[in-house]
Amino acid sequence: MIKLFVEGREIALPSDISFEFTSENRLFSNADGYSFDIEIPLKESAVNSEVFGIVWRMDADLDTLKFSAMLVTPQVTMQGIVAIVSVNESTLSIQFLEGRSVQNFEKDLEEIYVNEIEIVPFDVPLASAPPAQHWMSYDQGAEAVAIPWVNANSGIVQNNVVKENGIWKWDPDNRGLSYMPYITVLIHRICDKIGYSCDIRSLEESRFRHLLVCNALPAALAVSDYTAALPHWTVNEFFENLEIILRGEFEINNVAKSVSFRFTEDILAGIAPVDVDMVVDEFSADIDTMNDDKSDLDLLKNISFKDNGSRFWKIHSCDWFVNLRKKNPNSSSGWIMPGSGYIVGDDGHRYPEGERIYKCLVEFDSMEEFVSKFKAYEFFGFHRNDIVQRNLYYIREFDAYFIFHSTDYVEIPGKGWFHHYELIQVNVFGDYIVDPDDDDSVEIQTVPVPVDMAEFNCAFLYFSNSDDSSVSGDEVLNFGTDKDLWDGSGNPTQEWIDIQKAVQPLVYQSIEAGESSKSEYFDKLYLGFWPGYQPFHEVIGLCPVTSNVVVYDYFKYMPFPDFSLRLNHGFARGVEGYLSVDPKKLYKFSFLSDSLPSPRATFFIKGKRYVCSKLAASFSQNGMSRLIKGEFYRF
C-alpha cells in the first residue's frame, strides 16, 4: 500500500496510481531522487483541496510552490517535498523530490546575497592588543585574524607590523585593523543571519578548521560589516562554490531551516556495497560506446581555478607547459663529465663541477636531493648556464615542479655582476585533470590567496572593481647586450641594473608568454590556511599557506602536507575509483530487489565492480516494483 503525506496529512491517491521514480548519484548529475508526474484528484477530494488550496490563490507561483512530504511504501520511505507541475479544476499534477533534487528546485536562498547581509561582528581582541593576540588559531578560540596583507591596487600594506627587540609590534602608521575570518566561523555567522541551524562538525574537526577566508577591506574604508568583502553570490552559490574546493556536500533543508556538511569521502565510506545476485538476463548489459556527451557526468569534468590575480598566475597555472615537457623531456643528447672546478661545454659556456644537463625535464626523488645539488646556482650570470635557462624540475616527494626565477641583478665583490635566482613552483595551482582530451573545465571561484613579497611575504588581494585588478605578471624583456649601459669603469649603470631585474630565464619566459559588473569589491573567494602564528612564520613570512611545500629564502623549503589547496595533488581523495571508469561505456542492467539501493553504493554484478549513475523503479498502489533498472560504469 502506497501512502503520501503532505504537510503532515495523508492525501488521497487514485486507486490506479502509477509513476516512475529515478534515484540519481549526485556525484554524476548533482541530483538525487525525483518522480515523474503523479496525477491526484483535487475537486473530488476534501483533504486534497484543503492541503493544496493555495494553488487557487491569484498570487500563487506554481513554479516555486512546494510542500513538505513523505512517501511511504512497504519497501521504502523517503522524505522530501511535493512540487506542483500543473493544475486544472479536477486534478493536480505533482512531482515528489528528495535530497539534492529538492535543493535544485527550491529558490528560498536565491534572493539573499552574502555580501549584502549584516552578520554579527567577529569576536576579536582590542586593537591595542599586540599582534600575537590577533594571530591566534581556531583551536585557540580565534574567530578571525589580522595578519598583514597588501592592497595590490595601491601597494599599501594593511595590518602592517615592525619588529622591535625580536617582538612584533603594530606599525604606528596603520589606519586600523582589518580581519580575515576562519571559514567555519563565517559559515555559522551566515546561517545565524538567515535563521538556519548549522551542523558542520566534520569541517570543525578537520584540517579545514584552519582555513581562512582571506577577503578583507582596508580599515581606512571604515566598512562596518565584514560581508561587504565577499563576492556577490547568493547563499546557495556560496555553499556550492565551497563544496568543490572542500570536496564535500552541504545539505540545505529549507523546510527544517538547517545546513549541514559532510565530506564526500566519509559519505561514500558509510554506504554498504550492493551485491546484485538477481540480474534479469535479457537486460544484462547494453554498452553505449558512442556516449561522447559527458556534460551530465559532473565528477568526470576537469576543474580549474579562476585566475587569482597574482603576477605569477601564468607560472602557477600552466598545465600546457608541464604536459609539453612530459611529452618532450629531452631537447638534445646529454653527457656527464666529472671533474674539478668548472667544465667548459661544447658551446663555450662554463658549468659547475659534476655534470652537464641538456634535459628539459629533470626528476628528483626528494627536495633535499635537489636543493643540495643546485644550491650553487643561486647566483649566475645571464645566459651562462643552460641548467638555469632550460630545465623544468620535478620532485616526486611533493609531486611538484620547479624552475629558476631571477629576482635581482647584483654585484658580488671580487667576482662581478650576477643574477640572483630563487626557486619558484610551477603549475602549483594547475587543473584537476580527469580527461586530458577534454579542453573544457569547470572554473571555480574559490581560489588560493596570492602570496608575494612586500616588506615580508604576505597575502596580496586584488579588487575586482579596479581597471587593473587582474595583474598577469612582470613584463619580461628579451634583449641583447647594450654596451652603452655600462660605464667606463666596467660597471653597469642603474638603468641596466633595473632592466636586469626583470630578465627571467628562458623557461620562465616560455610560460609567461602563454600557450598560444557587479556591486562587489571581490569577484572571488580568497582562501589560505592559517594555523595560528607558528615559529615557521618567522622564516616563510606572515602569510597563509596554500601548497604542500613552500619555498622561501631562495633555496630553502618547508613541507605542509595538511595545508594544500592544490587541485592537481590529493584532490580526488575518496573518489579515486570513480575516476577509473570509462565514461564512453555505459552499462545497463535490470535486476530484482526488495528495496531501492543507494545509487552511490558500489555494485557487484556478475563478479565485476560498478559505480552507478542512476536507478529507476516503478510505483503503483501496491508499492514499489521489485524490478530495478540501472545505469552503471565499470571500475
Side-chain angles (χ1 to χ4, degrees):
M1 186 71 176
I2 188 170
K3 296 182 179 180
L4 182 59
F5 294 87
V6 178
E7 297 295 329
R9 299 180 64 179
E10 183 180 355
I11 66 170
L13 300 175
S15 58
D16 60 348
I17 185 173
S18 175
F19 62 90
E20 296 294 316
F21 186 84
T22 300
S23 182
E24 298 196 0
N25 185 338
R26 70 169 65 174
L27 289 179
F28 286 102
S29 63
N30 197 36
D32 284 333
Y34 55 89
S35 73
F36 287 82
D37 295 1
I38 305 171
E39 298 287 340
I40 64 172
L42 185 58
K43 186 176 181 179
E44 296 178 358
S45 171
V47 65
N48 290 2
S49 295
E50 291 179 14
V51 172
F52 297 105
I54 190 175
V55 299
W56 298 115
R57 286 177 46 175
M58 295 294 293
D59 60 346
D61 183 358
L62 299 186
D63 291 335
T64 60
L65 200 58
K66 65 181 186 296
F67 305 84
S68 62
M70 179 171 64
L71 181 65
V72 180
T73 75
Q75 299 85 5
V76 296
T77 297
M78 292 182 282
Q79 297 275 358
I81 68 166
V82 160
I84 306 298
V85 178
S86 63
V87 59
N88 58 43
E89 290 184 0
S90 59
T91 61
L92 189 67
S93 182
I94 61 175
Q95 184 180 28
F96 180 81
L97 307 171
E98 61 95 19
R100 181 55 60 92
S101 297
V102 176
Q103 288 181 221
N104 295 339
F105 171 81
E106 292 178 323
K107 307 297 182 183
D108 298 55
L109 302 178
E110 286 298 316
E111 301 300 325
I112 303 176
Y113 291 89
V114 293
N115 68 331
E116 295 177 353
I117 62 178
E118 295 183 5
I119 61 175
V120 175
F122 304 119
D123 186 9
V124 297
L126 294 175
S128 59
Q133 293 187 28
H134 291 263
W135 298 343
M136 297 176 72
S137 71
Y138 178 84
D139 293 343
Q140 293 172 304
E143 292 190 345
V145 299
I147 58 177
W149 62 276
V150 172
N151 174 356
N153 303 94
S154 69
I156 298 175
V157 181
Q158 313 294 319
N159 305 332
N160 201 9
V161 290
V162 293
K163 183 170 280 190
E164 296 180 3
N165 300 320
I167 298 176
W168 289 111
K169 295 184 178 181
W170 294 120
D171 186 331
D173 292 334
N174 284 339
R175 297 283 298 274
L177 301 178
S178 59
Y179 291 87
M180 301 176 179
Y182 288 101
I183 185 63
T184 54
V185 175
L186 181 60
I187 291 172
H188 274 290
R189 286 291 202 280
I190 291 175
C191 289
D192 289 345
K193 179 61 181 181
I194 63 177
Y196 281 52
S197 62
C198 183
D199 180 3
I200 54 172
R201 283 172 291 180
S202 295
L203 270 183
E204 294 165 335
E205 295 170 359
S206 75
R207 65 189 181 98
F208 289 106
R209 70 185 184 277
H210 299 300
L211 189 63
L212 279 183
V213 175
C214 298
N215 295 44
L217 297 176
L221 292 180
V223 177
S224 60
D225 198 84
Y226 171 78
T227 53
L230 299 178
H232 190 67
W233 294 346
T234 66
V235 174
N236 279 344
E237 288 173 331
F238 175 78
F239 288 123
E240 288 168 3
N241 277 291
L242 284 178
E243 277 187 330
I244 301 177
I245 193 66
L246 297 176
R247 261 320 193 203
E249 299 166 24
F250 285 97
E251 296 291 343
I252 302 174
N253 188 325
N254 290 310
V255 175
K257 292 194 177 300
S258 65
V259 172
S260 61
F261 176 86
R262 291 184 67 195
F263 291 104
T264 300
E265 178 183 16
D266 296 339
I267 295 172
L268 296 179
I271 300 175
V274 176
D275 192 355
V276 176
D277 55 5
M278 301 180 71
V279 176
V280 180
D281 290 336
E282 58 264 36
F283 296 102
S284 59
D286 177 16
I287 303 176
D288 181 8
T289 57
M290 301 301 293
N291 182 28
D292 292 326
D293 183 7
K294 294 173 286 183
S295 61
D296 60 336
L297 305 181
D298 286 356
L299 187 70
L300 301 183
K301 291 179 179 178
N302 300 332
I303 299 175
S304 62
F305 282 122
K306 184 174 183 176
D307 186 335
N308 70 356
S310 168
R311 66 190 179 101
F312 289 116
W313 184 250
K314 288 184 179 180
I315 308 298
H316 288 162
S317 180
C318 55
D319 284 287
W320 66 271
F321 181 82
V322 172
N323 291 335
L324 183 64
R325 286 299 173 94
K326 285 181 178 178
K327 293 178 182 177
N328 302 285
N330 300 296
S331 60
S332 65
S333 61
W335 47 270
I336 298 176
M337 180 178 174
S340 59
Y342 284 87
I343 300 169
V344 178
D346 54 6
D347 55 2
H349 291 170
R350 298 200 309 167
Y351 298 90
E353 173 185 1
E355 63 182 318
R356 164 93 179 277
I357 302 175
Y358 262 118
K359 285 185 177 181
C360 285
L361 177 62
V362 184
E363 300 184 1
F364 289 87
D365 288 327
S366 71
M367 192 72 173
E368 187 59 35
E369 177 189 5
F370 171 64
V371 169
S372 62
K373 190 177 187 65
F374 288 100
K375 180 65 172 64
Y377 291 79
E378 183 173 341
F379 292 96
F380 255 94
F382 184 59
H383 279 313
R384 285 189 182 180
N385 194 286
D386 278 309
I387 292 176
V388 170
Q389 288 293 317
R390 294 173 180 263
N391 292 341
L392 174 69
Y393 300 95
Y394 176 69
I395 313 300
R396 294 186 186 90
E397 177 185 6
F398 297 114
D399 187 22
Y401 295 88
F402 294 86
I403 61 173
F404 288 90
H405 169 240
S406 176
T407 63
D408 207 346
Y409 189 61
V410 297
E411 182 182 18
I412 299 179
K415 294 184 177 181
W417 287 85
F418 295 88
H419 279 271
H420 197 181
Y421 289 108
E422 66 177 352
L423 289 179
I424 184 171
Q425 194 168 353
V426 173
N427 206 40
V428 58
F429 301 127
D431 297 354
Y432 167 71
I433 301 294
V434 178
D435 185 355
D437 297 325
D438 189 354
D439 294 331
D440 295 329
S441 64
V442 177
E443 185 179 76
I444 60 175
Q445 300 177 73
T446 46
V447 301
V449 62
V451 173
D452 211 332
M453 286 293 292
E455 296 179 18
F456 32 71
N457 276 359
C458 65
F460 271 58
L461 303 184
Y462 298 81
F463 292 154
S464 62
N465 60 352
S466 173
D467 291 338
D468 58 350
S469 61
S470 179
V471 180
S472 60
D474 286 335
E475 179 181 1
V476 179
L477 303 177
N478 192 4
F479 57 91
T481 301
D482 186 342
K483 297 297 185 179
D484 292 337
L485 294 176
W486 293 74
D487 64 22
S489 302
N491 295 318
T493 63
Q494 186 60 49
E495 181 182 0
W496 177 254
I497 294 173
D498 292 339
I499 291 175
Q500 284 287 343
K501 286 180 180 180
V503 175
Q504 302 300 338
L506 297 177
V507 63
Y508 184 97
Q509 296 182 44
S510 297
I511 304 174
E512 179 70 18
E515 187 178 13
S516 54
S517 95
K518 294 177 182 178
S519 177
E520 58 187 4
Y521 286 101
F522 299 103
D523 60 359
K524 57 186 74 72
L525 200 68
Y526 290 115
L527 301 174
F529 287 95
W530 180 265
Y533 176 72
Q534 303 291 336
F536 63 72
H537 285 116
E538 288 291 329
V539 292
I540 72 167
L542 299 168
C543 58
V545 178
T546 56
S547 176
N548 59 329
V549 58
V550 172
V551 175
Y552 65 97
D553 196 16
Y554 299 100
F555 278 76
K556 297 177 182 177
Y557 69 96
M558 189 168 293
F560 292 96
D562 294 329
F563 297 150
S564 175
L565 290 175
R566 291 177 59 185
L567 296 177
N568 53 15
H569 177 78
F571 186 65
R573 189 176 61 185
V575 296
E576 294 91 343
Y578 280 67
L579 306 182
S580 67
V581 306
D582 183 351
K584 296 181 181 180
K585 291 186 178 180
L586 177 65
Y587 295 80
K588 297 180 181 179
F589 292 98
S590 292
F591 57 93
L592 300 180
S593 176
D594 293 326
S595 62
L596 186 62
S598 168
R600 307 184 74 177
T602 297
F603 285 74
F604 290 89
I605 304 174
K606 293 189 172 184
K608 298 187 182 297
R609 198 160 61 110
Y610 294 85
V611 59
C612 178
S613 67
K614 70 168 90 174
L615 298 171
S618 298
F619 284 76
S620 66
Q621 183 62 36
N622 296 323
M624 187 188 77
S625 167
R626 294 187 67 217
L627 181 65
I628 309 296
K629 300 177 181 180
E631 297 183 359
F632 304 86
Y633 297 94
R634 184 184 293 175
F635 280 103

